[in-house]
Amino acid sequence: MEMVRILYASKASHLHPELKQDLIDILNTAVDFNSRNEITGVLYYGYGYFVQCLEGEQSKIDTLFYQHILKDSRHQNCEILYRESMQQRLFKHWSMKFAPVNKRLADFFQQTHLDEFNPYLLSDSTIPSFIQLLSEEPHTLANQYHHPKI
């Protein structure tokens, strides 16, 4: 049983007033599915992008990504940016942690010479640092999230 960690990105299909409810629904579904399948991770949302890091048994991660996430109409251009075998979980306490857009994460992109927050610009050299940064972010309740109008 190989354990893997993936990082994928997608664009929100629509930016609309119900986005906060969409985030709550996504997180509730993720917590339920992930806890039953021993999957851990974090969901980051900002500037119209979803970025999610998932950890768990390879077959369960692949089923989740290819059978559920890719078929979710709330996002488009869904792409796995990074996959690695892992020995130790970074998100072991979270069936799904939520980290919203914030200055610390935006600064990461500025410091790595990326002009704007765009997860598709991450590279093999910057992704491990980005995942580590996500693991250090405090969990935020989606119903307390105020998304920027960007």
Side-chain angles (χ1 to χ4, degrees):
M1 161 173 80
E2 182 180 3
M3 300 294 282
V4 297
R5 177 179 299 118
I6 68 166
L7 182 80
Y8 80 85
S10 65
K11 284 283 287 174
S13 292
H14 302 91
L15 296 177
H16 52 77
E18 294 82 32
L19 177 63
K20 184 187 284 189
Q21 188 59 50
D22 280 352
L23 285 169
I24 292 168
D25 294 344
I26 289 168
L27 288 165
N28 287 338
T29 300
V31 166
D32 179 54
F33 181 89
N34 293 357
S35 61
R36 287 186 283 113
N37 289 280
E38 299 177 353
I39 295 173
T40 57
V42 61
L43 173 67
Y44 174 79
Y45 177 80
Y47 303 100
Y49 295 99
F50 293 105
V51 181
Q52 191 168 28
C53 183
L54 298 168
E55 303 172 324
E57 186 180 322
Q58 180 177 344
S59 63
K60 291 179 180 180
I61 295 294
D62 288 346
T63 296
L64 173 60
F65 184 76
Y66 293 106
Q67 299 301 317
H68 299 279
I69 293 169
L70 282 180
K71 295 177 180 180
D72 188 330
S73 64
R74 294 173 287 201
H75 40 161
Q76 59 191 2
N77 302 331
C78 198
E79 180 180 334
I80 294 177
L81 304 176
Y82 187 76
R83 177 187 289 264
E84 68 177 342
S85 295
M86 61 165 215
Q87 300 299 315
Q88 199 169 29
R89 294 177 187 255
L90 290 173
F91 304 98
K92 62 184 171 190
H93 300 295
W94 302 103
S95 54
M96 189 48 56
K97 178 167 96 167
F98 177 61
V101 65
N102 63 56
K103 182 172 177 10
R104 188 171 172 217
L105 290 166
D107 287 349
F108 172 85
F109 279 80
Q110 292 296 316
Q111 294 163 2
T112 55
H113 308 289
L114 302 172
D115 294 336
E116 60 186 31
F117 178 79
N118 180 341
Y120 297 104
L121 300 176
L122 290 166
S123 68
D124 286 345
S125 63
T126 57
I127 286 174
S129 298
F130 182 68
I131 290 172
Q132 184 63 40
L133 185 62
L134 287 174
S135 74
E136 296 166 359
E137 285 295 302
H139 174 63
T140 301
L141 297 175
N143 62 0
Q144 296 175 342
Y145 173 60
H146 300 286
H147 63 87
K149 304 270 191 235
I150 298 174

